[in-house]
Amino acid sequence: MRDYEAATAFLGEWGRFQRLVFFLLSASTIPNGFNGMSAVFLAGTPEHRCVVPSGANLSAEWLNASIPLELRGGQAVPSRCRRYRLAALTNLSALGLRPGSDVELESLEQEPCRDGWEYSRDVYRSTIVTEEQKSWANQDWQMLLLALTIPGLFCIPLWWIIPESPRWLISQGRYKEAEVIIRKAAKINGVPAPEVLFDTAEMQDWKPQQQQKAILLDLFRTRNIATITIMSLLLWFFTSVGYFGLSLSTPNWHGNAYINCFLSAVIEVPAYVIAWLLLRCLPRRYSLAGIFFLGGGVVLFIQLVPADFNVLSVGLVMLGKFGITAAFSMLYVYNVELYPTLVRNMAVGATSTASRLGSIIAPYFVYLDAYDKYLPYILMGSLTVLIGILTLFLPESYGNSLPESFEQMLKVKCFRNRQQTTGIRNAKESPKVLVTPL
């Protein structure tokens, strides 16, 4: 059967039909962004301290001194999880003793927050965290969640508007459906379609392949495809950890949380533009690896910035987010180019699942700042650099047609070198063998 690109070349590369499908698919991802980053505000944890019950019989001095101080970020601030033992404070207050002068606070026994917490309202009015102990009738965060979710309902009609992939329909032997879509695309693009798109004889030749049914294990059926799949799963998983880890950590940056979140979103616009230019002009492996090295390297460098240079730290985080965002968007294109039509959708689904697992793990990376504020960045930066190195071992798909079968798949770099070495050795042993460079 003719190559799919050759059979549909008359449509052009960027006609009205392609633009329509592209923009509809792009629009469907907007609600995903709303909900994906909503946790920054819905689950935000404001500054907090232990509640001292209003009925506690304490003087004003003892009430102000009821929370011990702890060192955080180089400053002495009220503890978030401990208070001085309330019964002891009540007795000392009743005796007329004064904190600090008559009683050394460091010698007092402490206890956990038995009566809950009080939260600062400077940044968030209410979140799921602040309302945990209160009535769920509070509408502040619930209305925000509702406003972010409703736009997703408008994407439901796209199920009937966006057509199925003709390439996939052909791989399943559904030629009539594919032909209807291709002719509709030709009409929208304003170009004439040939009278015969798929010859009957060609369809008969294609039957053995189109009768194949793909299963998940097909992603591991040969050593080459198994290696590509495992490397792709790792790439998607750790890229997602870096992307969502940096996105969800915006409240921890210096400055206003809302401005930081806005800047974190704005930096993605030039990242997508750069990714588009790299995909058009440069090889995939080196572009991806370079972007990974940029994103991971600057995130690793954050720990070396002096504490007073807060703006520089935020700038480096933004640059790291720029690199990881560009790499994330390029992975979608690169992943599609590596797999044959029969398992292409399955491969994208498997790697996307790995990505979702990475997004589940990402918040725990952010929470590691409770032990060391640089620890999340050290881990995310190191993993990003590591997958940048891993990318260099994948095959180069730039300038190649999409593979239609497993035999047309590109070889992993180390496998290609091994095959070439084996071919040269065999040629020396048998001079009659003609060696053709791969």
Side-chain angles (χ1 to χ4, degrees), residues 349-379:
T351 51
S352 294
T353 301
S355 173
R356 295 314 102 199
L357 292 175
S359 64
I360 294 172
I361 298 295
Y364 297 98
F365 277 72
V366 179
Y367 293 149
L368 290 176
D369 71 341
Y371 302 97
D372 187 291
K373 66 177 182 178
Y374 296 120
L375 184 57
Y377 301 111
I378 294 173
L379 291 176

Side-chain angles (χ1 to χ4, degrees), residues 168-169 171-174 207-218 221 342-343 346 406:
W168 180 82
L169 291 172
S171 72
Q172 301 301 305
R174 296 158 62 176
K207 273 190 176 181
Q209 182 169 342
Q210 60 110 47
Q211 289 175 351
Q212 293 179 347
K213 298 297 181 181
I215 59 175
L216 186 61
L217 292 178
D218 284 329
R221 67 186 299 178
L342 188 64
V343 296
M346 187 180 299
F406 290 102

Side-chain angles (χ1 to χ4, degrees), residues 6 63 95 126 168 172 192 207 209 222 226 242 290 303 345 373-374 381 438:
L63 184 63
L95 293 173
S126 76
W168 180 82
Q172 301 301 305
K207 273 190 176 181
Q209 182 169 342
T222 66
Q303 60 182 312
N345 287 344
K373 66 177 182 178
Y374 296 120
L438 296 178

Side-chain angles (χ1 to χ4, degrees), residues 117-273:
W117 294 265
E118 58 179 86
Y119 295 90
S120 169
R121 307 290 175 177
D122 294 339
V123 179
Y124 307 105
R125 182 177 177 183
S126 76
T127 69
I128 296 174
V129 175
T130 62
E131 302 304 323
E132 180 183 4
Q133 305 170 81
K134 301 180 182 180
S135 170
W136 278 63
N138 189 292
Q139 296 295 308
D140 290 338
W141 65 266
Q142 292 185 6
M143 292 304 296
L144 173 61
L145 182 60
L146 186 64
L148 295 175
T149 304
I150 287 179
L153 299 176
F154 295 101
C155 295
I156 295 178
L158 297 180
W159 176 273
W160 295 276
I161 297 175
I162 299 177
E164 185 56 86
S165 166
R167 183 192 293 269
W168 180 82
L169 291 172
I170 292 172
S171 72
Q172 301 301 305
R174 296 158 62 176
Y175 293 94
K176 293 295 183 183
E177 297 176 57
E179 184 171 347
V180 170
I181 294 174
I182 293 174
R183 292 192 181 279
K184 181 180 179 181
K187 183 178 180 181
I188 294 176
N189 287 355
V191 296
E195 294 184 5
V196 178
L197 284 177
F198 308 113
D199 185 79
T200 306
E202 291 179 337
M203 292 168 60
Q204 293 296 328
D205 294 338
W206 193 246
K207 273 190 176 181
Q209 182 169 342
Q210 60 110 47
Q211 289 175 351
Q212 293 179 347
K213 298 297 181 181
I215 59 175
L216 186 61
L217 292 178
D218 284 329
L219 297 178
F220 304 90
R221 67 186 299 178
T222 66
R223 187 178 180 183
N224 182 61
I225 191 174
T227 303
I228 291 177
T229 299
I230 293 172
M231 294 171 71
S232 297
L233 292 174
L234 292 174
L235 280 174
W236 283 71
F237 179 83
F238 289 121
T239 303
S240 183
V241 167
Y243 176 82
F244 286 98
L246 292 179
S247 299
L248 296 176
S249 67
T250 50
N252 300 337
W253 303 350
H254 175 76
N256 186 283
Y258 297 96
I259 295 178
N260 289 340
C261 189
F262 172 75
L263 294 176
S264 177
V266 168
I267 199 65
E268 296 194 13
V269 177
Y272 292 132
V273 174

Side-chain angles (χ1 to χ4, degrees), residues 279-351:
L279 288 171
R280 287 183 61 90
C281 305
L282 295 176
R284 308 288 190 247
R285 290 188 303 121
Y286 297 121
S287 300
L288 262 175
I291 289 294
F292 278 130
F293 292 151
L294 170 65
V298 295
V299 171
L300 277 174
F301 189 72
I302 293 174
Q303 60 182 312
L304 304 178
V305 177
D308 296 335
F309 290 73
N310 295 312
V311 176
L312 178 58
S313 297
V314 174
L316 290 176
V317 175
M318 291 295 179
L319 188 56
K321 176 76 181 297
F322 168 88
I324 294 177
T325 300
F328 210 165
S329 62
M330 293 172 68
L331 276 180
Y332 283 91
V333 177
Y334 190 29
N335 200 67
V336 166
E337 295 174 344
L338 293 177
Y339 289 92
T341 304
L342 188 64
V343 296
R344 187 171 293 127
N345 287 344
M346 187 180 299
V348 173
T351 51

